[in-house]
Amino acid sequence: MGFDFTVFKGSKDGKITKSTTHKDTLDPDEVLIQVTHSGLCGTDQHYRSEEMVLGHEGVGIVQQIGSTVTSFKVGERVGWGYEHDSCGHCDECLNGNEMHCPERHMYGISEFDQGSFATHAVWRARFLFHVPESIQSAEAAPLMCAGATVFNALYSHDVRPTDRVGIVGIGGLGHLAIQFASRMGCEVVVFSGTESKKQEAMHLGASEFYATKDVKKLDIGRKLKHLFVTTSSQPDWPLFFSVLAPNAAIYPLTVSQDSLTMPYLELVQNGIRIQGSITPSRGTHIKMLRFAAFHQIKPIVQTFPMNLEGIEDAMQKLEKGEVRYRAVLVVEGA
């Protein structure tokens, strides 16, 4: 009885391993998905030394549905992201903030036997999303985490079309943040270490571009109302405080284990806000997909085969900074 499917896991020595997950049956509210594509995120690198199935930017085809599922049909394309479940009855869930539910199920802290580096996955229907027809599966996968994360920060914190916003870094998150912010009508000021990505940033929708390597002072004219930090490490905070308008907000989207050290007096005197932000609620996630489809926002991807060699190759290139800008694993025949 039940069914088995192939998964790819991390290990204590950081080597990717091939394994099998078994499910006895589907719960009434669950969906069996045949995975076709998975994005590769920096968070996957962080967990590769854990004995858990990797991947959380999944796209695939509904293969079977539980007895009470009415929102999906067999054969439809679906995707999922960082969150898998929540209690549904706490204050945060009832207010549409299930990503902050105290009992949330998130990648890396629950369901260690499943992920998007796999041939199949089983998830609760209420945490799955229909993929718009105009978005290809390889493009949809990075939207499930990277796209959702930057859109949530932009959409949920009063960013307006009249605002002048800054984006630090042009990588997996940054190149999507530029597209979303520019399509929202904002002036988009992009900061990167060197001039190498300037033309690409302007093509994606940047209004202005500034190289920051070895720069002691930034002069950008009118100051910024919002600053989105998408780099792989924390930036030179004093340098960027100099370009913030009074009552501006900073959104640290970088994954870092380091402490956050800010220029305290400038923060207090200018009313600067530090706003934490993670993946969105399901309602905001759906809006992100609709917005991306309507405005033709597409991640720039490099594809790799969904096998041991392909995963290792993609992870090595990501670690070396050689991916522009999101790696996507593709199941053979998809």
Side-chain angles (χ1 to χ4, degrees):
M1 296 291 292
F3 44 90
D4 299 312
F5 50 89
T6 299
V7 295
F8 297 94
K9 304 171 65 174
S11 63
K12 290 182 179 179
D13 62 2
K15 185 178 180 180
I16 305 302
T17 63
K18 185 176 180 180
S19 185
T20 301
T21 289
H22 176 83
K23 294 292 181 183
D24 289 327
T25 186
L26 286 183
D27 287 345
D29 63 344
E30 288 183 332
V31 175
L32 171 64
I33 305 145
Q34 182 178 359
V35 179
T36 61
H37 297 75
S38 173
L40 171 61
C41 185
T43 314
D44 300 319
Q45 289 277 39
H46 298 158
Y47 286 120
R48 68 176 296 167
S49 59
E50 301 292 331
E51 294 181 349
M52 56 174 273
V53 182
L54 299 174
H56 59 279
E57 292 184 334
V59 172
I61 306 298
V62 174
Q63 198 168 52
Q64 187 177 335
I65 59 175
S67 60
T68 65
V69 174
T70 59
S71 52
F72 296 97
K73 298 177 181 178
V74 172
E76 291 183 327
R77 261 192 325 158
V78 298
W80 76 89
Y82 215 80
E83 187 171 14
H84 311 145
D85 202 359
S86 68
C87 76
H89 56 74
C90 69
D91 286 351
E92 296 303 325
C93 285
L94 294 175
N95 285 319
N97 295 317
E98 63 270 8
M99 64 282 195
H100 296 302
C101 170
E103 299 178 26
R104 65 191 179 182
H105 290 205
M106 304 282 260
Y107 177 63
I109 62 174
S110 60
E111 284 82 44
F112 299 116
D113 64 335
Q114 291 204 93
S116 56
F117 292 10
T119 58
H120 295 78
V122 175
W123 300 117
R124 297 196 184 282
R126 61 197 181 103
F127 282 87
L128 295 173
F129 305 97
H130 290 279
V131 178
E133 288 186 9
S134 62
I135 302 178
Q136 296 181 11
S137 294
E139 297 165 347
L143 294 177
M144 295 298 155
C145 177
T149 297
V150 297
F151 183 86
N152 186 48
L154 285 159
Y155 178 81
S156 301
H157 300 294
D158 300 321
V159 176
R160 299 175 180 175
T162 52
D163 286 340
R164 184 166 162 86
V165 307
I167 295 170
V168 185
I170 312 172
L173 293 177
H175 90 287
L176 287 166
I178 295 168
Q179 295 181 69
F180 278 117
S182 65
R183 302 304 193 280
M184 289 177 177
C186 300
E187 291 181 46
V188 182
V189 182
V190 174
F191 304 93
S192 186
T194 68
E195 298 276 346
S196 65
K197 298 178 182 178
K198 179 176 181 178
Q199 293 305 315
E200 200 157 26
M202 303 303 287
H203 177 72
L204 290 169
S207 310
E208 300 168 34
F209 181 98
Y210 297 91
T212 59
K213 185 178 181 180
D214 299 325
V215 171
K216 302 301 181 183
K217 184 179 180 180
L218 287 168
D219 183 6
I220 67 168
R222 189 160 63 90
K223 295 190 175 184
L224 305 171
K225 196 67 176 176
H226 303 271
L227 183 71
F228 299 88
V229 179
T230 72
T231 47
S232 58
S233 60
Q234 294 190 43
D236 178 356
W237 290 115
L239 179 68
F240 286 100
F241 262 69
S242 68
V243 298
L244 296 178
N247 297 309
I250 299 172
Y251 307 85
L253 303 178
T254 298
V255 176
S256 173
Q257 298 295 328
D258 298 329
S259 297
L260 187 63
T261 303
M262 294 283 186
Y264 181 82
L265 189 59
E266 292 177 58
L267 183 144
V268 172
Q269 288 181 332
N270 295 315
I272 305 301
R273 185 173 82 252
I274 311 299
Q275 177 63 60
S277 182
I278 55 171
T279 52
S281 69
R282 288 167 292 167
T284 301
H285 194 119
I286 291 169
K287 292 182 178 70
M288 177 275 299
L289 288 171
R290 290 173 180 164
F291 190 92
F294 183 79
H295 290 281
Q296 298 185 353
I297 293 171
K298 299 178 180 181
I300 298 171
V301 304
Q302 291 178 238
T303 59
F304 300 82
M306 180 85 80
N307 55 38
L308 289 173
E309 294 77 14
I311 295 169
E312 289 282 7
D313 185 25
M315 284 194 155
Q316 288 176 14
K317 285 183 168 58
L318 178 62
E319 189 172 5
K320 294 177 182 177
E322 296 176 355
V323 174
R324 285 206 176 183
Y325 285 106
R326 297 296 286 193
V328 177
L329 303 168
V330 183
V331 174
E332 184 178 0

